[in-house]
């Protein structure tokens, strides 16, 4: 046990997860008061809002990923371990990991969210999620491999499958990747594959409700819908996907679509770790917390971000968004640095607004009573995302790529580095 984390006279705070919340918390905790131990199964932080651009060839993964050790270079009493946590043993204040047991005085879970397939095995086994860098690279490879296959495929049925892409979920990720695919179809693929009739490529966006971007205003939703239709995306609102087997998506009531690319962005759930009582866990695999982010029934264990189901004034859980995670991390760090829990502040979320981009010069943004759309909203979206990326180099790389893509109408990073192979045993 001692070899995993150096012993110290300071109290130890272990943070699980190197996402937005985990990184912010680790930065702000006093290293004079605590030994801070950060655990993550990856050795890098991912800027998830731009994963869809990696998947569609606009950015390389190293421009939205940043080494955790580099973020905390020079920090005293900070330890990072690349580890996967299996379970929490609260009675002994121990974590079971693939490296062994790690003891804690305080524990903060910032594990974020994972794709929710709603217990549908067919979706889980056969669809393409988009929650991590490997997911984005897999999708990029699959898209490009399908176009390469089309050049030599003689079977009419197989060719038809490759000419249909189905995106399930009309939230920000679904809308953004559908728009990016539409731009690929218009500006890039006709040049790369002049032998193919790229105009026959069909991009389908399926949403079970009657509204895209459900969390945003009606005006923003209608604007996004208008933009996507203008870009040639086929919208299927009030439509449920009931199955995807043998590269055939069954839509109710729209019928079936044979497609070799089936992208799932329809839902997320908390990335839960074993060891918690059932009454502390919600149906969406989130942990119930009080207004201090302390998990119900556990005095020294906290949860922040997507995993934390904290109720707002309307008795609804805060949305699973990066700003929520960052603000909760700041408040929790302040409270823990005070040490005296009688002086702790309750969490109050400041809604900074929401945005989504559909394509070049096309975006929507809601800021309280102000709503923007079109090019101005697109510029706001670019600025906010650019400034949120970790690392000066990454900001420059992303900005240069965006400028190149904008003026050249090109997506330069169309490389099949790691060919994707579908699991044919399911």
């Amino acid at each position: 046990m001692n070899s995993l984390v150096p012993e110290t006279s300071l109290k130890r705070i272990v943070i699980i997860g190197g996402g937005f919340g985990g990184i912010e918390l680790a930065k702000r905790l006093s290293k004079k008061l605590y030994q801070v131990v950060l655990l993550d199964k990856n050795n890098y932080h991912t800027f998830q809002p731009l994963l869809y651009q990696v998947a569609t060839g606009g950015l390389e993964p190293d421009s939205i990923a940043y080494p955790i050790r580099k973020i905390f270079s020079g920090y005293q009493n900070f330890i990072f371990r690349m580890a996967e946590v299996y379970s929490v043993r609260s009675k002994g204040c121990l974590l079971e990991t693939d490296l062994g047991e790690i003891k804690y005085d305080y524990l903060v879970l910032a594990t974020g969210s994972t794709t929710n397939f709603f217990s549908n095995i067919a979706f889980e086994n056969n669809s393409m999620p988009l929650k991590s860098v490997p997911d984005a690279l897999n999708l990029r490879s699959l898209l490009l491999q399908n176009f390469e296959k089309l050049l030599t495929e003689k079977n009419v049925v197989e060719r038809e499958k490759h000419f249909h892409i189905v995106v399930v979920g009309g939230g920000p990720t679904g809308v953004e990747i559908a728009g990016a695919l539409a731009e690929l179809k218009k500006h890039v693929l006709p040049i790369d594959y002049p032998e193919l009739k790229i105009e026959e490529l069909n991009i389908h966006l399926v949403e079970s409700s009657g509204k895209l971007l459900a969390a945003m205003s009606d005006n923003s939703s209608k604007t996004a819908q208008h933009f996507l239709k203008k870009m040639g995306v086929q919208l299927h609102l009030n439509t449920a996907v009931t199955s995807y087997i043998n590269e055939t998506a069954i839509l109710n009531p729209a019928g079936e679509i044979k497609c070799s690319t089936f992208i799932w962005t329809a839902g997320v759930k908390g990335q839960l770790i074993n060891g918690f009582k059932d009454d502390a866990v919600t149906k969406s695999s989130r942990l119930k917390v009080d207004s201090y982010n302390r998990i119900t029934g556990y005095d020294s264990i906290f949860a922040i971000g997507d995993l934390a189901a904290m109720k707002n004034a309307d008795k609804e859980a805060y949305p699973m968004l990066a700003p929520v995670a960052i603000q909760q991390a700041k408040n929790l760090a302040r409270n823990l640095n005070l040490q005296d829990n009688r002086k702790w502040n309750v969490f109050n979320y400041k809604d900074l607004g929401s945005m989504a981009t559909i394509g070049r010069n096309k975006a929507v943004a809601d800021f309280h009573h102000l709503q923007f759309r079109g090019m101005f909203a697109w510029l706001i979206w670019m600025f906010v995302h650019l400034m949120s990326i970790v690392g000066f180099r990454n900001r420059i790389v992303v900005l240069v790529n965006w400028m190149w893509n904008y003026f050249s109408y090109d997506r330069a990073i169309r490389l099949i580095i790691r060919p994707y192979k579908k699991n044919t045993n399911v």
Side-chain angles (χ1 to χ4, degrees):
M1 189 185 301
N2 293 340
S3 62
L4 295 182
V5 179
E7 290 297 329
T8 176
S9 59
L10 300 175
K11 285 191 174 182
R12 177 182 295 162
I13 297 181
V14 176
I15 304 168
I16 307 175
F20 292 106
I23 294 294
E24 188 69 27
L25 179 64
K27 284 181 176 180
R28 290 177 175 268
L29 285 170
S30 172
K31 310 306 183 296
K32 294 181 180 179
L33 298 175
Y34 301 108
Q35 180 193 58
V36 179
V37 179
L38 178 61
L39 307 177
D40 196 285
K41 62 183 178 181
N42 299 309
N43 71 337
Y44 55 85
H45 163 78
T46 303
F47 190 74
Q48 290 188 333
L50 294 181
L51 281 172
Y52 80 95
Q53 293 200 10
V54 174
T56 52
L59 296 172
E60 273 289 20
D62 63 354
S63 60
I64 66 163
Y66 201 80
I68 291 175
R69 293 186 183 280
K70 191 169 183 179
I71 295 173
F72 294 97
S73 177
Y75 278 65
Q76 299 298 315
N77 293 320
F78 172 84
I79 308 293
F80 171 72
R81 292 290 181 263
M82 184 173 165
E84 185 168 357
V85 180
Y86 297 136
S87 65
V88 177
R89 287 160 50 190
S90 58
K91 287 187 178 180
C93 292
L94 288 172
L95 296 176
E96 295 181 2
T97 78
D98 58 348
L99 300 178
E101 293 182 344
I102 297 177
K103 191 171 180 60
Y104 64 84
D105 292 295
Y106 293 103
L107 175 64
V108 182
L109 279 75
T111 50
S113 58
T114 186
T115 305
N116 191 353
F117 295 102
F118 303 100
S119 302
N120 190 307
I121 301 301
F123 294 155
E124 185 170 355
N125 289 338
N126 302 316
S127 67
M128 303 297 293
L130 194 57
K131 286 294 290 180
S132 67
V133 169
D135 286 344
L137 290 175
N138 286 340
L139 181 53
R140 184 177 80 180
S141 293
L142 177 63
L143 289 167
L144 296 174
Q145 285 167 207
N146 285 343
F147 290 115
E148 296 295 336
K149 289 177 183 176
L150 273 170
L151 295 172
T152 56
E153 182 62 66
K154 304 298 182 184
N155 186 292
V156 176
V157 175
E158 291 300 315
R159 287 181 63 83
E160 181 72 11
K161 290 179 182 177
H162 294 329
F163 271 120
H164 287 275
I165 299 173
V166 172
V167 181
V168 184
T173 302
V175 166
E176 288 171 350
I177 195 165
L181 290 169
E183 290 196 324
L184 273 179
K185 174 185 174 180
K186 182 178 181 180
H187 300 299
V188 178
L189 298 178
I191 297 173
D192 276 8
Y193 303 97
E195 302 157 79
L196 300 176
K197 295 181 179 180
I198 294 298
E199 66 272 11
E200 296 180 4
L201 176 65
N202 294 283
I203 301 163
H204 305 266
L205 179 58
V206 184
E207 168 56 39
S208 59
S209 72
K211 178 183 177 181
L212 299 179
L213 302 174
M216 298 187 70
S217 65
D218 288 340
N219 285 339
S220 292
S221 175
K222 290 176 182 177
T223 300
Q225 186 173 327
H226 169 74
F227 283 151
L228 287 170
K229 281 185 176 180
K230 194 173 180 180
M231 296 167 74
V233 176
Q234 297 184 33
L235 301 179
H236 303 269
L237 301 180
N238 294 308
T239 302
V241 183
T242 59
S243 178
Y244 180 67
I245 300 176
N246 297 324
E247 297 189 322
T248 302
I250 307 299
L251 278 57
N252 181 19
E256 68 176 39
I257 300 175
K258 294 187 179 298
C259 59
S260 56
T261 306
F262 183 81
I263 305 169
W264 185 267
T265 68
V268 293
K269 62 181 180 180
Q271 193 155 285
L272 192 61
I273 293 174
N274 293 328
F276 292 97
K277 302 170 186 175
D278 292 342
D279 59 1
V281 182
T282 70
K283 292 181 179 179
S284 57
S285 297
R286 301 175 77 181
L287 290 168
K288 298 175 185 177
V289 300
D290 62 16
S291 56
Y292 305 105
N293 283 96
R294 188 168 42 199
I295 298 173
T296 303
Y298 300 87
D299 291 335
S300 59
I301 308 180
F302 303 80
I304 60 175
D306 291 356
L307 188 63
M310 181 189 290
K311 298 290 183 67
N312 58 22
D314 297 324
K315 303 299 181 181
E316 296 181 355
Y318 284 111
M320 300 165 83
L321 300 172
V324 176
I326 293 170
Q327 290 181 36
Q328 287 181 341
K330 290 178 180 179
N331 188 66
L332 180 56
R334 178 199 174 279
N335 288 342
L336 290 174
N337 287 342
L338 286 174
Q339 294 188 297
D340 185 354
N341 59 15
R342 292 172 298 179
K343 299 179 181 179
W344 283 8
N345 283 346
V346 298
F347 175 70
N348 288 301
Y349 176 52
K350 296 179 181 178
D351 187 354
L352 303 177
S354 52
M355 299 174 287
T357 182
I358 298 93
R360 56 185 292 122
N361 301 333
K362 297 179 179 69
V364 290
D366 291 345
F367 301 105
H368 300 289
H369 301 296
L370 296 175
Q371 298 170 9
F372 303 101
R373 60 184 178 180
M375 186 171 185
F376 186 63
W378 182 68
L379 291 172
I380 295 174
W381 180 93
M382 289 205 331
F383 175 78
V384 170
H385 283 69
L386 195 64
M387 296 310 295
S388 300
I389 294 173
V390 176
F392 178 76
R393 171 200 169 274
N394 285 18
R395 292 173 189 166
I396 297 299
V397 169
V398 169
L399 179 61
V400 169
N401 273 279
W402 282 350
M403 292 177 64
W404 173 262
N405 295 343
Y406 185 82
F407 289 108
S408 69
Y409 289 85
D410 195 10
R411 295 290 180 96
I413 308 163
R414 301 186 297 279
L415 309 175
I416 305 174
I417 300 293
R418 184 189 62 191
Y420 175 73
K421 293 184 180 180
K422 285 189 175 183
N423 187 353
T424 58
N425 298 321
V426 295

